[in-house]
PDB file of all heavy atoms in Angstrom:
ATOM      1  N   TYR A 104      -1.327  -4.276  -3.193  1.00 91.00           N
ATOM      2  CA  TYR A 104       0.013  -3.833  -3.536  1.00 91.00           C
ATOM      3  C   TYR A 104       0.890  -3.573  -2.319  1.00 91.00           C
ATOM      4  O   TYR A 104       1.816  -2.783  -2.326  1.00 91.00           O
ATOM      5  CB  TYR A 104      -0.017  -2.612  -4.439  1.00 91.00           C
ATOM      6  CG  TYR A 104      -0.573  -2.980  -5.825  1.00 91.00           C
ATOM      7  CD1 TYR A 104      -1.932  -2.909  -6.093  1.00 91.00           C
ATOM      8  CD2 TYR A 104       0.272  -3.438  -6.809  1.00 91.00           C
ATOM      9  CE1 TYR A 104      -2.415  -3.266  -7.348  1.00 91.00           C
ATOM     10  CE2 TYR A 104      -0.196  -3.808  -8.042  1.00 91.00           C
ATOM     11  CZ  TYR A 104      -1.556  -3.723  -8.314  1.00 91.00           C
ATOM     12  OH  TYR A 104      -2.024  -4.086  -9.528  1.00 91.00           O
ATOM     13  N   LEU A 105       0.547  -4.280  -1.213  1.00 95.00           N
ATOM     14  CA  LEU A 105       1.345  -4.164  -0.011  1.00 95.00           C
ATOM     15  C   LEU A 105       2.784  -4.533  -0.254  1.00 95.00           C
ATOM     16  O   LEU A 105       3.717  -3.928   0.307  1.00 95.00           O
ATOM     17  CB  LEU A 105       0.753  -5.021   1.098  1.00 95.00           C
ATOM     18  CG  LEU A 105       1.443  -5.043   2.432  1.00 95.00           C
ATOM     19  CD1 LEU A 105       1.448  -3.672   3.072  1.00 95.00           C
ATOM     20  CD2 LEU A 105       0.807  -6.088   3.372  1.00 95.00           C
ATOM     21  N   LYS A 106       3.036  -5.525  -1.095  1.00 95.00           N
ATOM     22  CA  LYS A 106       4.399  -5.955  -1.391  1.00 95.00           C
ATOM     23  C   LYS A 106       5.238  -4.779  -1.931  1.00 95.00           C
ATOM     24  O   LYS A 106       6.434  -4.650  -1.607  1.00 95.00           O
ATOM     25  CB  LYS A 106       4.410  -7.126  -2.353  1.00 95.00           C
ATOM     26  CG  LYS A 106       3.888  -6.821  -3.751  1.00 95.00           C
ATOM     27  CD  LYS A 106       3.876  -8.059  -4.635  1.00 95.00           C
ATOM     28  CE  LYS A 106       3.460  -7.752  -6.043  1.00 95.00           C
ATOM     29  NZ  LYS A 106       2.079  -7.160  -6.110  1.00 95.00           N
ATOM     30  N   ASP A 107       4.647  -3.948  -2.808  1.00 95.00           N
ATOM     31  CA  ASP A 107       5.372  -2.824  -3.364  1.00 95.00           C
ATOM     32  C   ASP A 107       5.698  -1.816  -2.305  1.00 95.00           C
ATOM     33  O   ASP A 107       6.802  -1.211  -2.330  1.00 95.00           O
ATOM     34  CB  ASP A 107       4.555  -2.178  -4.486  1.00 95.00           C
ATOM     35  CG  ASP A 107       4.439  -3.062  -5.700  1.00 95.00           C
ATOM     36  OD1 ASP A 107       5.271  -3.971  -5.861  1.00 95.00           O
ATOM     37  OD2 ASP A 107       3.536  -2.833  -6.529  1.00 95.00           O
ATOM     38  N   LEU A 108       4.769  -1.570  -1.385  1.00 96.00           N
ATOM     39  CA  LEU A 108       5.047  -0.658  -0.277  1.00 96.00           C
ATOM     40  C   LEU A 108       6.182  -1.188   0.578  1.00 96.00           C
ATOM     41  O   LEU A 108       7.087  -0.424   1.000  1.00 96.00           O
ATOM     42  CB  LEU A 108       3.796  -0.478   0.552  1.00 96.00           C
ATOM     43  CG  LEU A 108       3.952   0.367   1.833  1.00 96.00           C
ATOM     44  CD1 LEU A 108       4.475   1.758   1.518  1.00 96.00           C
ATOM     45  CD2 LEU A 108       2.596   0.454   2.560  1.00 96.00           C
ATOM     46  N   LEU A 109       6.197  -2.481   0.872  1.00 97.00           N
ATOM     47  CA  LEU A 109       7.279  -3.059   1.687  1.00 97.00           C
ATOM     48  C   LEU A 109       8.638  -2.956   0.980  1.00 97.00           C
ATOM     49  O   LEU A 109       9.681  -2.711   1.634  1.00 97.00           O
ATOM     50  CB  LEU A 109       6.949  -4.512   2.033  1.00 97.00           C
ATOM     51  CG  LEU A 109       5.688  -4.726   2.911  1.00 97.00           C
ATOM     52  CD1 LEU A 109       5.379  -6.225   3.012  1.00 97.00           C
ATOM     53  CD2 LEU A 109       5.901  -4.110   4.250  1.00 97.00           C
ATOM     54  N   ILE A 110       8.662  -3.162  -0.327  1.00 97.00           N
ATOM     55  CA  ILE A 110       9.892  -3.021  -1.081  1.00 97.00           C
ATOM     56  C   ILE A 110      10.376  -1.591  -0.994  1.00 97.00           C
ATOM     57  O   ILE A 110      11.586  -1.324  -0.779  1.00 97.00           O
ATOM     58  CB  ILE A 110       9.677  -3.434  -2.577  1.00 97.00           C
ATOM     59  CG1 ILE A 110       9.479  -4.932  -2.675  1.00 97.00           C
ATOM     60  CG2 ILE A 110      10.863  -3.004  -3.445  1.00 97.00           C
ATOM     61  CD1 ILE A 110       8.978  -5.387  -4.033  1.00 97.00           C
ATOM     62  N   ALA A 111       9.484  -0.612  -1.130  1.00 97.00           N
ATOM     63  CA  ALA A 111       9.840   0.785  -1.073  1.00 97.00           C
ATOM     64  C   ALA A 111      10.379   1.166   0.329  1.00 97.00           C
ATOM     65  O   ALA A 111      11.297   1.974   0.459  1.00 97.00           O
ATOM     66  CB  ALA A 111       8.683   1.677  -1.454  1.00 97.00           C
ATOM     67  N   ILE A 112       9.748   0.594   1.359  1.00 98.00           N
ATOM     68  CA  ILE A 112      10.193   0.874   2.734  1.00 98.00           C
ATOM     69  C   ILE A 112      11.640   0.418   2.926  1.00 98.00           C
ATOM     70  O   ILE A 112      12.462   1.138   3.485  1.00 98.00           O
ATOM     71  CB  ILE A 112       9.252   0.175   3.737  1.00 98.00           C
ATOM     72  CG1 ILE A 112       7.913   0.893   3.783  1.00 98.00           C
ATOM     73  CG2 ILE A 112       9.886   0.095   5.112  1.00 98.00           C
ATOM     74  CD1 ILE A 112       6.827   0.146   4.524  1.00 98.00           C
ATOM     75  N   ASP A 113      11.959  -0.751   2.411  1.00 98.00           N
ATOM     76  CA  ASP A 113      13.343  -1.239   2.499  1.00 98.00           C
ATOM     77  C   ASP A 113      14.306  -0.356   1.677  1.00 98.00           C
ATOM     78  O   ASP A 113      15.413  -0.044   2.137  1.00 98.00           O
ATOM     79  CB  ASP A 113      13.436  -2.696   2.019  1.00 98.00           C
ATOM     80  CG  ASP A 113      12.861  -3.706   3.001  1.00 98.00           C
ATOM     81  OD1 ASP A 113      12.699  -3.327   4.170  1.00 98.00           O
ATOM     82  OD2 ASP A 113      12.587  -4.840   2.623  1.00 98.00           O
ATOM     83  N   ALA A 114      13.879   0.054   0.504  1.00 98.00           N
ATOM     84  CA  ALA A 114      14.700   0.880  -0.359  1.00 98.00           C
ATOM     85  C   ALA A 114      15.016   2.222   0.289  1.00 98.00           C
ATOM     86  O   ALA A 114      16.103   2.802   0.103  1.00 98.00           O
ATOM     87  CB  ALA A 114      14.067   1.061  -1.724  1.00 98.00           C
ATOM     88  N   CYS A 115      14.068   2.754   1.053  1.00 98.00           N
ATOM     89  CA  CYS A 115      14.269   4.040   1.737  1.00 98.00           C
ATOM     90  C   CYS A 115      14.956   3.892   3.092  1.00 98.00           C
ATOM     91  O   CYS A 115      15.136   4.868   3.805  1.00 98.00           O
ATOM     92  CB  CYS A 115      12.907   4.717   1.953  1.00 98.00           C
ATOM     93  SG  CYS A 115      12.153   5.286   0.401  1.00 98.00           S
ATOM     94  N   LYS A 116      15.304   2.663   3.441  1.00 98.00           N
ATOM     95  CA  LYS A 116      16.039   2.330   4.681  1.00 98.00           C
ATOM     96  C   LYS A 116      15.254   2.759   5.930  1.00 98.00           C
ATOM     97  O   LYS A 116      15.834   3.232   6.908  1.00 98.00           O
ATOM     98  CB  LYS A 116      17.446   2.972   4.677  1.00 98.00           C
ATOM     99  CG  LYS A 116      18.295   2.491   3.508  1.00 98.00           C
ATOM    100  CD  LYS A 116      19.708   2.996   3.612  1.00 98.00           C
ATOM    101  CE  LYS A 116      20.555   2.626   2.394  1.00 98.00           C
ATOM    102  NZ  LYS A 116      20.525   1.191   2.098  1.00 98.00           N
ATOM    103  N   LEU A 117      13.953   2.611   5.845  1.00 98.00           N
ATOM    104  CA  LEU A 117      13.097   2.862   7.005  1.00 98.00           C
ATOM    105  C   LEU A 117      12.966   1.600   7.862  1.00 98.00           C
ATOM    106  O   LEU A 117      13.045   0.478   7.345  1.00 98.00           O
ATOM    107  CB  LEU A 117      11.707   3.313   6.560  1.00 98.00           C
ATOM    108  CG  LEU A 117      11.646   4.700   5.931  1.00 98.00           C
ATOM    109  CD1 LEU A 117      10.310   4.861   5.191  1.00 98.00           C
ATOM    110  CD2 LEU A 117      11.806   5.803   6.968  1.00 98.00           C
ATOM    111  N   THR A 118      12.818   1.768   9.141  1.00 98.00           N
ATOM    112  CA  THR A 118      12.634   0.667  10.068  1.00 98.00           C
ATOM    113  C   THR A 118      11.157   0.484  10.335  1.00 98.00           C
ATOM    114  O   THR A 118      10.435   1.437  10.618  1.00 98.00           O
ATOM    115  CB  THR A 118      13.345   0.940  11.398  1.00 98.00           C
ATOM    116  OG1 THR A 118      14.750   1.032  11.159  1.00 98.00           O
ATOM    117  CG2 THR A 118      13.064  -0.169  12.409  1.00 98.00           C
ATOM    118  N   THR A 119      10.680  -0.765  10.211  1.00 98.00           N
ATOM    119  CA  THR A 119       9.272  -1.075  10.557  1.00 98.00           C
ATOM    120  C   THR A 119       9.189  -1.354  12.040  1.00 98.00           C
ATOM    121  O   THR A 119       9.758  -2.321  12.540  1.00 98.00           O
ATOM    122  CB  THR A 119       8.758  -2.291   9.752  1.00 98.00           C
ATOM    123  OG1 THR A 119       8.865  -2.012   8.357  1.00 98.00           O
ATOM    124  CG2 THR A 119       7.334  -2.585  10.114  1.00 98.00           C
ATOM    125  N   VAL A 120       8.496  -0.490  12.760  1.00 98.00           N
ATOM    126  CA  VAL A 120       8.321  -0.633  14.219  1.00 98.00           C
ATOM    127  C   VAL A 120       7.201  -1.611  14.530  1.00 98.00           C
ATOM    128  O   VAL A 120       7.338  -2.493  15.339  1.00 98.00           O
ATOM    129  CB  VAL A 120       8.052   0.739  14.857  1.00 98.00           C
ATOM    130  CG1 VAL A 120       7.938   0.592  16.375  1.00 98.00           C
ATOM    131  CG2 VAL A 120       9.109   1.735  14.498  1.00 98.00           C
ATOM    132  N   ASN A 121       6.084  -1.425  13.828  1.00 98.00           N
ATOM    133  CA  ASN A 121       4.926  -2.339  13.952  1.00 98.00           C
ATOM    134  C   ASN A 121       4.217  -2.464  12.617  1.00 98.00           C
ATOM    135  O   ASN A 121       4.201  -1.511  11.829  1.00 98.00           O
ATOM    136  CB  ASN A 121       3.896  -1.824  14.968  1.00 98.00           C
ATOM    137  CG  ASN A 121       4.314  -2.036  16.413  1.00 98.00           C
ATOM    138  OD1 ASN A 121       4.585  -1.066  17.116  1.00 98.00           O
ATOM    139  ND2 ASN A 121       4.355  -3.264  16.873  1.00 98.00           N
ATOM    140  N   HIS A 122       3.604  -3.584  12.419  1.00 98.00           N
ATOM    141  CA  HIS A 122       2.668  -3.790  11.317  1.00 98.00           C
ATOM    142  C   HIS A 122       1.289  -3.924  11.962  1.00 98.00           C
ATOM    143  O   HIS A 122       0.916  -4.964  12.467  1.00 98.00           O
ATOM    144  CB  HIS A 122       3.014  -5.046  10.515  1.00 98.00           C
ATOM    145  CG  HIS A 122       2.270  -5.187   9.247  1.00 98.00           C
ATOM    146  ND1 HIS A 122       2.787  -5.755   8.108  1.00 98.00           N
ATOM    147  CD2 HIS A 122       0.994  -4.826   8.915  1.00 98.00           C
ATOM    148  CE1 HIS A 122       1.881  -5.757   7.152  1.00 98.00           C
ATOM    149  NE2 HIS A 122       0.784  -5.221   7.621  1.00 98.00           N
ATOM    150  N   ILE A 123       0.560  -2.820  11.927  1.00 98.00           N
ATOM    151  CA  ILE A 123      -0.743  -2.724  12.615  1.00 98.00           C
ATOM    152  C   ILE A 123      -1.863  -3.157  11.654  1.00 98.00           C
ATOM    153  O   ILE A 123      -1.793  -2.860  10.445  1.00 98.00           O
ATOM    154  CB  ILE A 123      -0.970  -1.277  13.111  1.00 98.00           C
ATOM    155  CG1 ILE A 123       0.115  -0.888  14.125  1.00 98.00           C
ATOM    156  CG2 ILE A 123      -2.353  -1.110  13.715  1.00 98.00           C
ATOM    157  CD1 ILE A 123       0.232   0.596  14.367  1.00 98.00           C
ATOM    158  N   ILE A 124      -2.850  -3.822  12.191  1.00 97.00           N
ATOM    159  CA  ILE A 124      -4.071  -4.119  11.441  1.00 97.00           C
ATOM    160  C   ILE A 124      -5.203  -3.267  11.981  1.00 97.00           C
ATOM    161  O   ILE A 124      -5.491  -3.317  13.185  1.00 97.00           O
ATOM    162  CB  ILE A 124      -4.439  -5.625  11.562  1.00 97.00           C
ATOM    163  CG1 ILE A 124      -3.312  -6.506  10.969  1.00 97.00           C
ATOM    164  CG2 ILE A 124      -5.761  -5.911  10.862  1.00 97.00           C
ATOM    165  CD1 ILE A 124      -3.084  -6.313   9.503  1.00 97.00           C
ATOM    166  N   TRP A 125      -5.799  -2.491  11.110  1.00 96.00           N
ATOM    167  CA  TRP A 125      -6.994  -1.713  11.483  1.00 96.00           C
ATOM    168  C   TRP A 125      -8.207  -2.541  11.041  1.00 96.00           C
ATOM    169  O   TRP A 125      -8.480  -2.669   9.876  1.00 96.00           O
ATOM    170  CB  TRP A 125      -7.013  -0.340  10.843  1.00 96.00           C
ATOM    171  CG  TRP A 125      -8.358   0.340  10.935  1.00 96.00           C
ATOM    172  CD1 TRP A 125      -9.280   0.217  11.927  1.00 96.00           C
ATOM    173  CD2 TRP A 125      -8.912   1.247   9.983  1.00 96.00           C
ATOM    174  NE1 TRP A 125     -10.385   0.969  11.653  1.00 96.00           N
ATOM    175  CE2 TRP A 125     -10.209   1.600  10.466  1.00 96.00           C
ATOM    176  CE3 TRP A 125      -8.481   1.762   8.761  1.00 96.00           C
ATOM    177  CZ2 TRP A 125     -11.041   2.476   9.772  1.00 96.00           C
ATOM    178  CZ3 TRP A 125      -9.314   2.656   8.087  1.00 96.00           C
ATOM    179  CH2 TRP A 125     -10.558   2.991   8.579  1.00 96.00           C
ATOM    180  N   LYS A 126      -8.927  -3.087  11.973  1.00 94.00           N
ATOM    181  CA  LYS A 126     -10.144  -3.870  11.731  1.00 94.00           C
ATOM    182  C   LYS A 126     -11.352  -2.959  11.880  1.00 94.00           C
ATOM    183  O   LYS A 126     -11.603  -2.411  12.952  1.00 94.00           O
ATOM    184  CB  LYS A 126     -10.225  -5.019  12.742  1.00 94.00           C
ATOM    185  CG  LYS A 126     -11.564  -5.756  12.748  1.00 94.00           C
ATOM    186  CD  LYS A 126     -11.771  -6.595  11.497  1.00 94.00           C
ATOM    187  CE  LYS A 126     -13.042  -7.429  11.603  1.00 94.00           C
ATOM    188  NZ  LYS A 126     -14.277  -6.588  11.522  1.00 94.00           N
ATOM    189  N   TYR A 127     -12.061  -2.758  10.761  1.00 88.00           N
ATOM    190  CA  TYR A 127     -13.272  -1.924  10.799  1.00 88.00           C
ATOM    191  C   TYR A 127     -14.507  -2.817  10.797  1.00 88.00           C
ATOM    192  O   TYR A 127     -14.409  -4.051  10.761  1.00 88.00           O
ATOM    193  CB  TYR A 127     -13.298  -0.884   9.691  1.00 88.00           C
ATOM    194  CG  TYR A 127     -12.939  -1.408   8.305  1.00 88.00           C
ATOM    195  CD1 TYR A 127     -13.895  -2.013   7.512  1.00 88.00           C
ATOM    196  CD2 TYR A 127     -11.654  -1.275   7.807  1.00 88.00           C
ATOM    197  CE1 TYR A 127     -13.586  -2.460   6.252  1.00 88.00           C
ATOM    198  CE2 TYR A 127     -11.314  -1.716   6.548  1.00 88.00           C
ATOM    199  CZ  TYR A 127     -12.293  -2.311   5.739  1.00 88.00           C
ATOM    200  OH  TYR A 127     -11.972  -2.759   4.503  1.00 88.00           O
ATOM    201  N   GLN A 128     -15.700  -2.180  10.821  1.00 80.00           N
ATOM    202  CA  GLN A 128     -16.904  -2.968  11.131  1.00 80.00           C
ATOM    203  C   GLN A 128     -17.577  -3.588   9.927  1.00 80.00           C
ATOM    204  O   GLN A 128     -18.475  -4.425  10.085  1.00 80.00           O
ATOM    205  CB  GLN A 128     -17.912  -2.087  11.902  1.00 80.00           C
ATOM    206  CG  GLN A 128     -18.695  -1.057  11.052  1.00 80.00           C
ATOM    207  CD  GLN A 128     -17.969   0.267  10.930  1.00 80.00           C
ATOM    208  OE1 GLN A 128     -16.740   0.326  10.915  1.00 80.00           O
ATOM    209  NE2 GLN A 128     -18.733   1.340  10.884  1.00 80.00           N
ATOM    210  N   PHE A 129     -17.192  -3.258   8.701  1.00 77.00           N
ATOM    211  CA  PHE A 129     -17.846  -3.905   7.580  1.00 77.00           C
ATOM    212  C   PHE A 129     -16.956  -3.726   6.332  1.00 77.00           C
ATOM    213  O   PHE A 129     -16.153  -2.829   6.205  1.00 77.00           O
ATOM    214  CB  PHE A 129     -19.242  -3.290   7.308  1.00 77.00           C
ATOM    215  CG  PHE A 129     -19.205  -1.815   7.028  1.00 77.00           C
ATOM    216  CD1 PHE A 129     -18.855  -1.311   5.813  1.00 77.00           C
ATOM    217  CD2 PHE A 129     -19.513  -0.938   8.070  1.00 77.00           C
ATOM    218  CE1 PHE A 129     -18.835   0.065   5.566  1.00 77.00           C
ATOM    219  CE2 PHE A 129     -19.477   0.444   7.836  1.00 77.00           C
ATOM    220  CZ  PHE A 129     -19.154   0.934   6.565  1.00 77.00           C
TER     221      PHE A 129
END
């Protein structure tokens, strides 16, 4: 549901500084 989070971020007029990927071990 990442798309819903991105829609909400735009609706709240927040600026995306980075889209970070957290890679874990399994």
Side-chain angles (χ1 to χ4, degrees):
Y104 290 90
L105 179 63
K106 63 182 184 303
D107 290 341
L108 175 58
L109 295 173
I110 290 169
I112 287 169
D113 285 345
C115 292
K116 301 186 185 307
L117 290 164
T118 297
T119 301
V120 183
N121 284 112
H122 189 147
I123 298 163
I124 298 297
W125 167 32
K126 170 70 175 70
Y127 47 83
Q128 76 271 34
F129 57 81

